[in-house]
Amino acid sequence: SEVHLSSQKLLRVQGEVDELRRLVQKEQILLEQEQLLVLEETTRLKAIMSQVEQLHGEIEEINRAFGIERVHIFRSNFRLEAHRISLLQQLQFVFPIKLIPIDIPQNISSFASSANVSTTNRTVPQYTIAGVPLPNDVHSPSVADDQVSSALGFTCHMVALTSKYLGISMRYPIVCKFSRSAILDNEQRRIISGNGNGHKTTYAVYPLFRERVVEREQLDRGCELLNRNLECLLKMRNVEFRKDWNVLAKIDCLMIQLVEGEDIAFAASR
C-alpha cells in the first residue's frame, strides 16, 4: 500500500510539473508577442521622430526665409517712406503753408452817426497757401473771390497729391483745375438711361471756387467734402486734429507729422 501511495503522489507531482511547463510555455509565447509589439512600436516611434526632426529642419528653413523676407520688406517700406517724404517735401516747397498776420479793414462810426465813418485796420492771423490767404469762412468779404478760389484750388491739388503719395484713396474724387476746382459727391448719384448704350451713372459736382454765380450752399458742401477727404488722411496716419481747424492748419499738421516726424501731441497743440 505504501508503494501505491508513493506512486499516486509521484503521478500528482508529475501532473503539476506538466501543468507548470504548459503555463511557462504560454507565458513565453505571450512575452514573445509583446516583444514583437514593442519592436513595432519602437520602429514606429523612430519613424515619427525622424519626421519630427525633418519638420523641425523645414520650420527652421522657413523661419530663416521669413526673416530674410521681413528684412527685405522693412527695407522696401523704409525706401518707400523715404520717397514719400521726399515727394511731400517738394509739395511743401511748391505749396508752402504759413500763418501770417493780415490787416483787415473795418468801419467805425463816430458818435453813432452814419455820416461820420472812419476806417481802421484790425490785424488777425491768417493761414496762406503759396502766399494766398484762405480764411476760415470762405465767404468772408475780407478776401477777394479770386484769392479764395486760387487758395482752394491750391488746397485741392495738395490734398489730391498727398493722397496719391500716401497711397490712400479719397472717398470724394477731386477735380483739380486750380481756381476752378470741384469735388464729386459719391453719395448723391443718378443713373441716366442711354439710347441703346446701357446706363450711365452721374455724380453731384460741387464747386470749390467762389463766384457770384456759385450758390453759398454749394460751396459750403464742396468745402465739407474736401475736409472729409483731408480728415480721412489724418486718421489713416494717426495724426490728431480738431474739426474746427482751418483746412490749411490740418494739412500743415499732417505735413509736420509725415515730413518732420514731430510728436503728434505737440503738432496737435499748434
Side-chain angles (χ1 to χ4, degrees):
S1 61
E2 292 180 359
V3 173
H4 180 69
L5 291 174
S6 299
S7 298
Q8 288 181 347
K9 289 181 180 179
L10 181 61
L11 290 173
R12 188 167 53 253
V13 170
Q14 186 68 36
E16 292 177 356
V17 170
D18 292 340
E19 181 66 20
L20 289 174
R21 285 177 179 174
R22 188 181 63 80
L23 291 175
V24 168
Q25 289 177 355
K26 185 177 180 180
E27 290 294 331
Q28 187 173 2
I29 292 172
L30 293 175
L31 179 61
E32 291 176 354
Q33 291 177 350
E34 290 181 355
Q35 288 177 343
L36 289 175
L37 291 175
V38 170
L39 182 61
E40 291 177 358
E41 290 295 328
T42 303
T43 304
R44 189 179 297 111
L45 287 175
K46 287 181 179 179
I48 293 174
M49 291 299 296
S50 176
Q51 293 177 358
V52 170
E53 291 178 357
Q54 183 179 356
L55 288 175
H56 277 306
E58 293 177 357
I59 291 173
E60 290 178 358
E61 186 65 26
I62 291 173
N63 287 335
R64 282 194 294 269
F66 179 71
I68 295 173
E69 193 65 26
R70 282 188 63 183
V71 172
H72 290 163
I73 292 174
F74 176 79
R75 290 176 178 173
S76 298
N77 288 336
F78 180 81
R79 287 193 293 266
L80 177 61
E81 194 66 19
H83 185 57
R84 285 173 174 170
I85 291 175
S86 175
L87 292 173
L88 293 173
Q89 286 176 332
Q90 296 177 28
L91 195 60
Q92 279 184 308
F93 179 77
V94 176
F95 300 111
I97 297 175
K98 296 181 180 179
L99 182 63
I100 62 175
I102 293 181
D103 293 332
I104 299 178
Q106 60 180 357
N107 296 330
I108 299 178
S109 301
S110 301
F111 306 106
S113 173
S114 60
N116 298 321
V117 178
S118 60
T119 302
T120 184
N121 292 331
R122 180 170 59 94
T123 303
V124 296
Q126 180 68 71
Y127 274 97
T128 64
I129 179 169
V132 182
L134 181 61
N136 294 336
D137 180 11
V138 294
H139 305 287
S140 174
S142 62
V143 182
D145 290 353
D146 57 344
Q147 288 186 316
V148 172
S149 299
S150 297
L152 285 174
F154 294 155
T155 303
C156 289
H157 275 75
M158 197 164 189
V159 172
L161 290 176
T162 302
S163 170
K164 180 179 179 180
Y165 295 160
L166 296 179
I168 301 174
S169 300
M170 293 185 297
R171 181 174 182 180
Y172 306 100
I174 297 176
V175 181
C176 296
K177 292 186 177 180
F178 291 99
S179 61
R180 290 299 179 269
S181 297
I183 191 167
L184 305 182
D185 188 356
N186 292 336
E187 296 175 356
Q188 298 184 18
R189 64 184 68 183
R190 184 175 60 178
I191 299 178
I192 301 176
S193 299
N195 297 326
N197 296 324
H199 301 283
K200 181 180 180 181
T201 303
T202 61
Y203 301 97
V205 181
Y206 291 96
L208 285 171
F209 56 90
R210 196 174 80 182
E211 273 189 351
R212 291 182 180 180
V213 296
V214 175
E215 296 181 4
R216 185 186 185 97
E217 292 76 12
Q218 289 185 330
L219 179 55
D220 288 339
R221 178 62 176 172
C223 292
E224 178 186 354
L225 299 181
L226 178 63
N227 264 288
R228 288 185 185 180
N229 281 341
L230 179 55
E231 290 173 4
C232 176
L233 298 179
L234 289 161
K235 291 177 181 178
M236 291 295 292
R237 299 296 295 201
N238 298 320
V239 180
E240 296 180 358
F241 66 95
R242 287 170 48 184
K243 284 187 173 292
D244 59 345
W245 281 357
N246 184 293
V247 63
L248 295 181
K250 295 176 183 178
I251 298 177
D252 193 33
C253 182
L254 178 63
M255 290 299 174
I256 289 174
Q257 176 67 18
L258 296 177
V259 176
E260 301 178 12
E262 188 173 308
D263 183 72
I264 294 177
F266 180 80
S269 65
R270 286 172 57 89

